[in-house]
Amino acid sequence: MTARIIEGAPVAERLRADVATEVARLKAEHGLQPGLAVVLVGDDPASQLYVKSKGEQSRAAGMRSETHLLPGDTTQAALEAVVRKLAADPGIHGILVQLPLPEPLDETPVIELIGPDKDVDGLHVVNAGRLVAGLPALVACTPTGCLELIKATLGDLTGKTAVVVGRSLLVGKPVAQLLLAENCTVTMAHSRTVDLPAVCRTADILVAAVGRPRMIRGDWIKPGACVIDVGINRVPFDDPEQAALGRTKVVGDVNFKEAREVAGSITPVPKGVGPMTVAVLLANTVKAAKLQAGLPA
Ligand code: NDP
């Protein structure tokens, strides 16, 4: 069997088009322009690319977009002052501080300052708690994107067995909660899980959010399973000549070549989960704007 490839771009494009339509309606009917502020500390080139793309895509959807680029030696107090100002700005409905922050900055008080209503990354404890409680919440972008791709591929998820490898607050935990809310039977695996291959083999839906290149092998996958690879890992090129030149490429947490021979469907890396993350960020900003304006989300 060769797996169906789950491309993120078309699903993300549909979502962005819906967001643009909703932004136009909010402007016309309520004079409301959703606004997103992205804060980046330091000059990591990959983060700079993400931030640029977030700004471009939010403007393309008709939203207000602000990017705050702060130097790598920014103090905790200076970062908090920027976030406090954005939190008080009525024209900004969503604030995203690009993580991880450079040492020694601490993200916890920064997320607290963003507050639950503008927390479009879904990291505030109130949003994490609301998700667990089954209440309306701003949910982390990548997990929401994963769920959209799974639902677009499988339809109704009721009764399916799901295994999520990774238990971070940003990805693993919210993905597991979202799958539970869709009536899956969910197992969360992590670095202390005993016999991870056997656990993975139980999964109708396998989500890998680990950060270890190609860790999940083909024989860990149940034939026909839906495999969602969240991992973004930079590795040297397979070709030794290219590798010697220091050239790298991005691979996922799943050994794609092996897995596609066993799985029913699988996301590629790149171009699988990645494109969904920014599209959901825009959707979350619109949702936050509506909630802040007292409109039904
Ligand atoms: P974290 O490092 O926060 O979490 C990794 C998780 O993997 C931890 O729970 C850890 O377990 C678990 N883990 C580590 N090693 C193993 C192992 N050998 N076996 C089983 N589990 C293991 O990472 P994130 O959740 O933030 O990100 C995961 C991956 O997803 C990364 O590659 C990241 O780049 C990517 N990512 C992609 C995004 C996208 O838009 N596509 C967005 C966000 C992240 P333990 O808790 O026991 O330590």
Side-chain angles (χ1 to χ4, degrees):
M1 174 197 284
T2 302
R4 171 182 160 195
I5 306 299
I6 307 170
E7 300 281 357
V11 185
E13 201 179 302
R14 279 201 296 278
L15 184 55
R16 280 200 306 271
D18 289 348
V19 166
T21 306
E22 186 61 359
V23 169
R25 187 189 72 82
L26 287 172
K27 275 189 203 163
E29 291 179 15
H30 301 281
L32 175 64
Q33 183 184 29
L36 171 67
V38 179
V39 180
L40 173 65
V41 185
D43 52 11
D44 175 61
S47 297
Q48 281 177 335
L49 264 182
Y50 287 140
V51 166
K52 191 167 166 239
S53 141
K54 283 166 185 170
E56 283 168 0
Q57 291 191 35
S58 44
R59 276 188 294 278
M63 295 161 59
R64 177 177 157 192
S65 161
E66 278 186 15
T67 305
H68 296 261
L69 301 175
L70 309 181
D73 60 357
T74 298
T75 62
Q76 185 80 26
L79 170 62
E80 289 182 13
V82 169
V83 172
R84 201 174 279 114
K85 205 166 157 215
L86 293 170
D89 183 342
I92 291 295
H93 305 96
I95 304 169
L96 184 140
V97 176
Q98 190 73 35
L99 300 178
L101 291 170
E103 296 276 338
L105 297 177
D106 180 5
E107 66 196 46
T108 309
V110 174
I111 293 165
E112 195 54 43
L113 277 174
I114 292 172
D117 295 348
K118 296 191 180 184
D119 168 41
V120 280
D121 228 0
L123 292 174
H124 194 284
V125 285
V126 168
N127 282 316
R130 280 183 187 153
L131 175 62
V132 174
L135 297 171
L138 289 169
V139 181
C141 303
T142 302
T144 305
C146 291
L147 187 74
E148 291 297 322
L149 292 180
I150 298 167
K151 282 175 32 176
T153 308
L154 299 181
D156 183 13
L157 308 184
T158 300
K160 299 218 179 288
T161 298
V163 173
V164 180
V165 190
R167 55 175 165 179
S168 70
L169 186 61
L170 186 63
V171 190
K173 280 179 184 156
V175 166
Q177 288 299 329
L178 289 170
L179 289 166
L180 188 60
E182 295 292 329
N183 302 314
C184 292
T185 303
V186 183
T187 301
M188 297 190 66
H190 45 76
S191 67
R192 313 294 172 89
T193 297
V194 174
D195 200 354
L196 184 60
V199 173
C200 291
R201 274 193 289 271
T202 65
D204 301 316
I205 299 165
L206 179 62
V207 181
V210 183
R212 291 185 179 264
R214 302 176 178 132
M215 184 187 84
I216 293 182
R217 307 298 302 261
D219 62 0
W220 298 21
I221 292 165
K222 180 175 174 177
C226 174
V227 178
I228 304 294
D229 190 351
V230 184
I232 300 178
N233 309 290
R234 260 201 183 274
V235 297
F237 258 69
D238 298 331
D239 175 359
E241 273 182 32
Q242 299 281 353
L245 294 172
R247 294 196 59 192
T248 58
K249 61 176 180 174
V250 171
V251 300
D253 292 337
V254 177
N255 185 318
F256 183 80
K257 267 191 198 151
E258 292 178 5
R260 72 179 301 185
E261 300 304 322
V262 189
S265 49
I266 184 168
T267 57
V269 177
K271 298 192 175 165
V273 173
M276 291 300 291
T277 300
V278 184
V280 175
L281 174 66
L282 306 188
N284 273 356
T285 306
V286 170
K287 188 174 170 183
K290 289 202 271 191
L291 288 170
Q292 285 160 51
L295 299 169

